[in-house]
């Protein structure tokens, strides 16, 4: 399966390409940079600014080619229409996902899109419907959900050593990035909910099961920014078990799970972000305290492998449409229930 990348993003170079080299059924063909029209539309800025931006994009793309081979495509449309390409990885800002993923699907390409799939549920469902109509795979890259540590945590919970579960807490936040980062730009689909919030909502849903519903949601603004900067909420399932979630992108770093049971507590600190080769741990406190190792894994590689599986297998492809749509609906439900401060 021949894959190309649309945009020389940081995550594509730092995480996607090292993982892709480990996937035997995928071959990297090349990477595309945008034309001025593709980036700016009709409102083109100063020509000098355009030339500078395009030069920077080409320099970034050249790093990929120097490290991994492949060729440079001079526009997104060129890589989408290329007969050399079977599938596309789309690591653009979220606000651009729908436009370019739709074009790729319409051109008959399978699509691996960075999370979130789009910035609203209707657009996401339109993408999965196009994919269904054309018999194509689309996969949303929440790679943490493929990490083996999640199954290990599930097994501890199911074992009963924590007793009956009283509460889950899932938190994910990180310090402020550069002010020009797309996460702080509303038109590009920025905001804490679209970035960090999707992680904690997705994991809370996994912990609680299919009956989980959002019963409280809050987003907080910070003066001088046009997007939500942090937030929190509560999900509850039909058994009455609750998961408290919190997220942010002007926060001290935190990526934690706490499971509070009638007999003990479990905590872990890299539940959503463990990189390849990292060996996570959990702390379990009952009548004593114990630190246990969890399995290391390459979640990004496994996410790409699942994408390949969806390409090759219709049943997996159809199941994944529902997974993607469900996540988009949960985020939309959060927004519907949201109190804004």
């Amino acid at each position: 399966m021949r894959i190309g990348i649309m945009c020389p993003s940081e995550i594509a170079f730092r995480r996607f390409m090292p993982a892709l080299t480990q996937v035997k059924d995928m071959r990297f063909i090349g990477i595309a940079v945008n034309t001025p029209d593709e980036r700016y539309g009709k409102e083109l800025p100063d020509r000098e600014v355009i030339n500078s931006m395009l030069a920077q994009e080409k320099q970034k793309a050249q790093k990929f080619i120097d490290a991994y081979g492949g060729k440079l495509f001079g526009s997104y449309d060129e890589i989408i229409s290329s007969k050399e390409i079977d599938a596309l990885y789309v690591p653009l800002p979220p606000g651009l996902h729908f436009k370019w993923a739709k074009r790729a699907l319409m051109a008959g390409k399978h699509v691996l899109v960075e999370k979130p799939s789009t910035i609203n549920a209707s657009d996401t469902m339109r993408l999965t419907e196009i994919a269904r109509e054309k018999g194509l795979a689309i996969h949303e890259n929440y790679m943490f959900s493929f990490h083996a540590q999640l199954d290990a945590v599930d097994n501890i919970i199911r074992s009963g050593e924590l007793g009956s579960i009283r509460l889950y807490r899932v938190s994910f936040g990180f310090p402020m990035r550069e002010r020009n980062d797309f996460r702080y730009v509303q038109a590009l689909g920025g905001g804490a909910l679209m970035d960090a919030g999707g992680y904690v909502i997705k994991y809370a849903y996994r912990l609680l099961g299919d009956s989980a519903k959002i019963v409280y949601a809050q987003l907080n603004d910070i003066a001088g920014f046009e997007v939500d900067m942090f937030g929190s909420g509560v999900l509850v399932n039909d058994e009455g078990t609750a998961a408290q979630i919190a997220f942010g992108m002007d926060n001290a770093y935190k990526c934690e799970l706490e499971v509070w049971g009638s007999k003990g507590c479990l905590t872990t600190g890299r539940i959503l972000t463990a990189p390849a080769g990292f060996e996570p741990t959990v702390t379990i406190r009952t009548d004593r305290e114990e630190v246990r190792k969890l399995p290391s894994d390459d979640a990004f590689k496994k996410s790409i492998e699942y994408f390949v599986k969806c390409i090759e297998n219709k049943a997996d492809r159809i199941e994944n449409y529902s997974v993607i749509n469900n996540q988009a609906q949960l985020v939309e439900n959060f927004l519907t229930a949201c109190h804004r401060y």
Side-chain angles (χ1 to χ4, degrees):
M1 189 62 57
R2 302 167 301 173
I3 193 166
I5 301 175
M6 192 180 295
C7 174
S9 70
E10 187 252 351
I11 192 172
F13 189 80
R14 182 172 55 88
R15 300 291 303 275
F16 177 77
M17 287 305 304
L20 183 68
T21 61
Q22 305 301 313
V23 178
K24 63 179 182 179
D25 297 319
M26 276 280 180
R27 180 161 63 93
F28 175 60
I29 298 299
I31 186 163
V33 295
N34 55 267
T35 64
D37 286 347
E38 288 171 341
R39 184 181 186 101
Y40 299 106
K42 295 180 180 179
E43 297 182 5
L44 296 178
D46 181 83
R47 174 58 60 180
E48 188 173 330
V49 173
I50 292 174
N51 291 339
S52 175
M53 295 291 288
L54 294 180
Q56 289 176 25
E57 286 292 287
K58 288 181 179 178
Q59 287 175 4
K60 292 177 185 177
Q62 192 61 46
K63 283 179 58 180
F64 286 74
I65 295 167
D66 292 343
Y68 298 103
K71 62 183 287 187
L72 176 67
F73 291 85
S75 71
Y76 295 163
D77 280 330
E78 182 185 353
I79 200 170
I80 285 172
S81 62
S82 173
K83 293 181 179 179
E84 299 177 75
I85 299 290
D86 303 306
L88 282 166
Y89 172 50
V90 183
L92 293 163
L96 303 177
H97 286 178
F98 177 71
K99 174 181 178 179
W100 292 108
K102 180 182 177 183
R103 289 195 185 184
L105 290 168
M106 295 300 290
K109 312 300 186 188
H110 304 283
V111 172
L112 171 59
V113 61
E114 268 305 324
K115 51 76 196 164
S117 54
T118 73
I119 57 174
N120 62 70
S122 62
D123 282 352
T124 293
M125 292 175 186
R126 178 60 183 142
L127 290 183
T128 57
E129 187 56 35
I130 294 170
R132 188 190 304 272
E133 291 169 357
K134 291 184 168 291
L136 295 169
I138 181 168
H139 178 47
E140 182 181 30
N141 193 36
Y142 275 108
M143 59 274 192
F144 82 88
S145 59
F146 295 91
H147 200 289
Q149 68 169 325
L150 271 63
D151 290 334
V153 168
D154 289 345
N155 290 336
I156 293 169
I157 293 168
R158 282 195 294 264
S159 74
E161 67 177 297
L162 302 178
S164 298
I165 303 305
R166 305 306 191 208
L167 182 70
Y168 297 104
R169 289 195 182 101
V170 189
S171 306
F172 180 38
F174 46 84
M176 182 79 70
R177 295 172 180 256
E178 296 292 330
R179 286 293 296 260
N180 63 352
D181 191 289
F182 72 83
R183 292 167 180 82
Y184 308 119
V185 181
Q186 190 170 18
L188 294 179
L193 175 62
M194 288 297 161
D195 197 76
Y199 283 88
V200 294
I201 290 172
K202 189 172 182 70
Y203 190 38
Y205 181 83
R206 173 182 169 131
L207 291 166
L208 294 175
D210 291 342
S211 66
K213 294 180 178 61
I214 293 166
V215 297
Y216 179 77
Q218 176 175 320
L219 289 175
N220 295 76
D221 299 325
I222 294 176
F225 291 88
E226 61 184 20
V227 297
D228 54 286
M229 296 294 286
F230 61 100
S232 57
V234 179
L235 290 79
V236 178
N237 64 17
D238 286 350
E239 289 73 48
T241 307
Q244 297 174 346
I245 59 173
F247 52 91
M249 53 188 194
D250 182 29
N251 298 40
Y253 184 80
K254 181 180 281 194
C255 184
E256 294 181 355
L257 166 69
E258 178 186 353
V259 184
W260 189 4
S262 59
K263 296 180 180 178
C265 292
L266 176 153
T267 56
T268 183
R270 293 296 297 274
I271 195 66
L272 305 173
T273 59
F278 176 80
E279 192 170 70
T281 61
V282 291
T283 300
I284 296 175
R285 298 189 304 276
T286 52
D287 54 345
R288 61 192 180 91
E289 184 172 301
E290 177 186 1
V291 178
R292 297 182 194 171
K293 292 181 179 180
L294 296 177
S296 62
D297 208 351
D298 188 339
F300 215 124
K301 171 177 174 283
K302 288 170 72 173
S303 184
I304 299 171
E305 289 173 338
Y306 183 70
F307 177 49
V308 174
K309 190 177 179 184
C310 290
I311 292 171
E312 296 175 343
N313 188 291
K314 182 178 179 180
D316 291 307
R317 197 159 59 235
I318 290 173
E319 180 182 2
N320 203 33
Y321 300 152
S322 297
V323 171
I324 296 168
N325 288 343
N326 182 70
Q327 171 67 11
Q329 191 60 60
L330 283 168
V331 173
E332 192 132 305
N333 292 347
F334 188 100
L335 278 169
T336 301
C338 180
H339 299 269
R340 193 78 179 248
Y341 295 91

